[in-house]
Amino acid sequence: MYEDGVDGDSLREVLEKACKRVDLGAAVIPKALLNPDVDELPLDILLAHGDVSDGVDIRALREGVAPDDFNLHSMSTTAKSNRYSRTLQREFNAVVVEHHLKWAPLCVSEPGPLADGKPSDRLGRYDFHHADAIVDWAIRHRMKAKGHVLCWHVTSPNTLLEDMPPAQVEEELRRHIFTVMGHFRGRIRVWDVVNEALAPDGSLAENIFFRKPG
């Protein structure tokens, strides 16, 4: 039975009946997963964060997400599950970290609560805050986590890599793979290693990893 009262098996239940072994995963992002829905928060919290000066009754909000000023770190450890997380648990048995395990987001473009609060411009400085939150949530709910992706030219720090000689690019890529897989050792057992290595015509894609390490 779904939350809206509709009868029927979930996707997870259908596949478990049809297949001997199957992993059904969903790509997730931390804010949608870990922040509570607006209409499921206590009224005192809503009134503290909501803007009711324009006459909008915040108690009437439905199917919403938490306001932008909710802090992911503080809310994720105390908030009860939201519709998004309950749907994931009902329909799937695995999650894929949609964005925050890619090279540039980990090191450059989307830092979590780094000490100085500034984006990093160094390849060796990693921030696993968002990815850890998703993976730990999956483990707590007995779901598998898949790592995506270790090497993809689209989400690599290409601006920094372009100035390096081929041998250094190869070493930085090797260090990146060992760092990320080492951090999640025992928690993530399945990885996408290389993404979009082939061009549409079946040849090797001409990107920085083709031009530099070869």
Side-chain angles (χ1 to χ4, degrees):
M1 176 75 73
Y2 288 85
E3 291 186 21
D4 58 7
V6 177
D7 289 323
D9 293 335
S10 67
L11 292 174
R12 182 174 181 172
E13 291 168 338
V14 169
L15 285 175
E16 286 177 346
K17 291 178 180 178
C19 305
K20 187 174 182 180
R21 177 185 176 88
V22 63
D23 290 331
L24 182 63
V28 300
I29 55 177
K31 185 176 180 180
L33 176 66
L34 299 170
N35 280 337
D37 292 323
V38 165
D39 60 323
E40 295 188 333
L41 283 170
L43 181 59
D44 57 339
I45 295 179
L46 290 174
L47 293 176
H49 288 81
D51 182 7
V52 295
S53 60
D54 59 359
V56 176
D57 184 1
I58 199 167
R59 290 169 293 189
L61 292 175
R62 300 194 62 192
E63 301 297 332
V65 297
D68 289 337
D69 57 345
F70 275 101
N71 182 273
L72 173 63
H73 178 69
S74 62
M75 294 302 296
S76 62
T77 57
T78 58
K80 67 178 182 178
S81 63
N82 58 21
R83 292 183 186 85
Y84 185 84
S85 66
R86 292 195 297 272
T87 300
L88 287 175
Q89 294 176 67
R90 182 182 67 238
E91 301 288 345
F92 304 93
N93 62 0
V95 300
V96 180
V97 183
E98 167 65 16
H99 181 65
H100 293 82
L101 267 181
K102 296 168 182 172
W103 195 351
L106 278 174
C107 293
V108 181
S109 60
E110 293 193 25
L114 290 171
D116 57 14
K118 298 178 181 179
S120 171
D121 59 0
R122 302 200 315 270
L123 292 181
R125 187 185 191 193
Y126 284 78
D127 188 342
F128 292 105
H129 173 72
H130 296 103
D132 277 334
I134 296 175
V135 173
D136 290 344
W137 179 90
I139 292 173
R140 285 198 306 272
H141 293 88
R142 299 181 180 180
M143 300 174 71
K144 297 178 181 178
K146 180 182 180 181
H148 177 79
V149 56
L150 294 170
C151 178
W152 187 25
H153 65 281
V154 174
T155 54
S156 294
N158 292 327
T159 302
L160 302 177
L161 297 175
E162 285 288 358
D163 295 332
M164 299 179 184
Q168 186 177 358
V169 172
E170 183 176 353
E171 178 57 31
E172 291 292 347
L173 178 58
R174 180 181 182 277
R175 181 175 69 168
H176 168 68
I177 292 173
F178 274 69
T179 298
V180 176
M181 293 189 71
H183 180 82
F184 290 100
R185 183 177 182 180
R187 291 191 289 164
I188 297 180
R189 301 181 183 277
V190 178
W191 290 87
D192 290 329
V193 179
V194 179
N195 199 32
E196 297 183 359
L198 298 179
D201 63 2
S203 63
L204 291 175
E206 294 189 12
N207 53 52
I208 188 170
F209 299 110
F210 177 83
R211 289 184 285 103
K212 293 277 187 171

